[in-house]
Amino acid sequence: MAKILICDDEAGLRAVIKKYAEFENHKTAEACDGAQAVAACKEENFDIVIMDIMMPEMDGFTALKEIRKFSNVPVIMLSARGEEYDKVLSFELGVDDYVVKPFSSKEIMLRIAAILRRLGNETDNHVIFKKDGFIADMTAHKVIIDGIQVELAPKVYDLLFYLIRNKNIAVSREKLLADVWGYNYFGDDRTLDTHMKLLRKALGPYENQIITLRGLGYRFEES
């Protein structure tokens, strides 16, 4: 069971998400704009925030920036637009997932479940990958490139750590989407491309550790 904040200026949409979330035994709270969401996150600890981008008073991007000043709560961003710019900006600001309207309630529930599984699968075993100046601490969720810690969006961390755990193995695009985003992922597979661009950019001189296998997927090279 999780405590979920649903932030959207459409009361009907909030009601639908609330209905399905509570059916799954989650607790919910609501906010009708970004300012209310920020205030709610300061007053309570939520397990997940579902946030619309286009809202009055304070939009989702601005609200997310404010929330990230004091909380790393997982955020699922909602948008009526599917432009790559919006997706890239969302992930750079630290969202865990991005969903384009219209969407099914089942899709939202599956994405919530995927995030909760990730949080629940954290382990006490400290797992670190090192190669020259590239360090990926998969337990502490830290990536260091030539002595400088780089900040990644949550799903970019997940993507990198999944590839490292399967190093030297060819991983198909379909398997990446299934295992990183959830087995019943409904979204556009361009989401993977967007995250891969962000990951390669963050790795800088070590971006070539990730090999593109045309027509198949990717492989993380240990050597």
Side-chain angles (χ1 to χ4, degrees):
M1 181 178 71
K3 185 187 292 184
I4 302 171
L5 175 63
I6 306 166
C7 180
D8 196 295
D9 59 329
E10 297 180 36
L13 182 59
R14 294 199 309 270
V16 170
I17 296 175
K18 177 180 179 179
K19 174 183 176 182
Y20 280 86
E22 292 184 347
F23 181 78
E24 297 288 339
N25 295 319
H26 300 306
K27 292 184 178 180
T28 63
E30 298 180 47
C32 63
D33 60 50
Q36 286 189 8
V38 174
C41 288
K42 287 181 177 179
E43 294 176 1
E44 297 184 61
N45 291 322
F46 294 97
D47 297 299
I48 296 177
V49 174
I50 299 174
M51 176 92 68
D52 188 29
I53 292 179
M54 302 301 294
M55 294 183 292
E57 301 300 329
M58 181 185 291
D59 64 35
F61 287 142
T62 304
L64 179 59
K65 289 178 184 178
E66 292 300 312
I67 290 172
R68 282 291 174 257
K69 291 179 181 179
F70 60 86
S71 174
N72 288 320
V73 59
V75 174
I76 298 175
M77 192 69 88
L78 308 179
S79 177
R81 306 181 303 184
E83 284 85 349
E84 183 178 19
Y85 170 79
D86 285 347
K87 293 182 180 180
V88 171
L89 179 57
S90 294
F91 291 121
E92 287 181 337
L93 290 176
V95 305
D96 287 68
D97 212 341
Y98 183 102
V99 183
V100 179
K101 299 178 181 178
F103 51 81
S104 70
S105 298
K106 181 180 179 182
E107 177 183 1
I108 287 291
M109 292 304 105
L110 287 169
R111 293 183 185 233
I112 289 172
I115 291 173
L116 294 176
R117 281 197 303 272
R118 172 174 62 82
L119 296 176
N121 285 337
E122 292 180 350
T123 176
D124 292 331
N125 297 322
H126 214 83
V127 182
I128 299 176
F129 172 85
K130 294 182 180 180
K131 177 176 172 55
D132 301 326
F134 173 29
I135 301 173
D137 187 331
M138 291 177 274
T139 304
H141 259 62
K142 291 182 179 180
V143 175
I144 298 172
I145 303 295
D146 293 334
I148 299 174
Q149 183 173 334
V150 298
E151 296 296 329
L152 306 177
K155 265 294 186 279
V156 178
Y157 279 117
D158 292 346
L159 178 60
L160 172 61
F161 296 162
Y162 182 87
L163 288 169
I164 291 175
R165 290 189 178 101
N166 292 275
K167 56 184 178 291
N168 300 323
I169 298 174
V171 183
S172 70
R173 294 174 61 87
E174 292 76 14
K175 186 166 180 58
L176 280 170
L177 287 169
D179 291 351
V180 177
W181 275 266
Y183 183 76
N184 290 309
Y185 178 70
F186 283 89
D188 192 327
D189 67 358
R190 285 178 297 181
T191 294
L192 175 58
D193 298 328
T194 300
H195 282 75
M196 194 60 73
K197 288 179 183 178
L198 293 173
L199 176 55
R200 290 185 189 277
K201 180 180 178 181
L203 293 182
Y206 302 97
E207 66 172 320
N208 291 333
Q209 296 290 132
I210 300 174
I211 307 299
T212 299
L213 305 172
R214 297 195 180 280
L216 176 60
Y218 300 92
R219 182 178 67 246
F220 186 90
E221 289 283 356
E222 184 176 16
S223 58

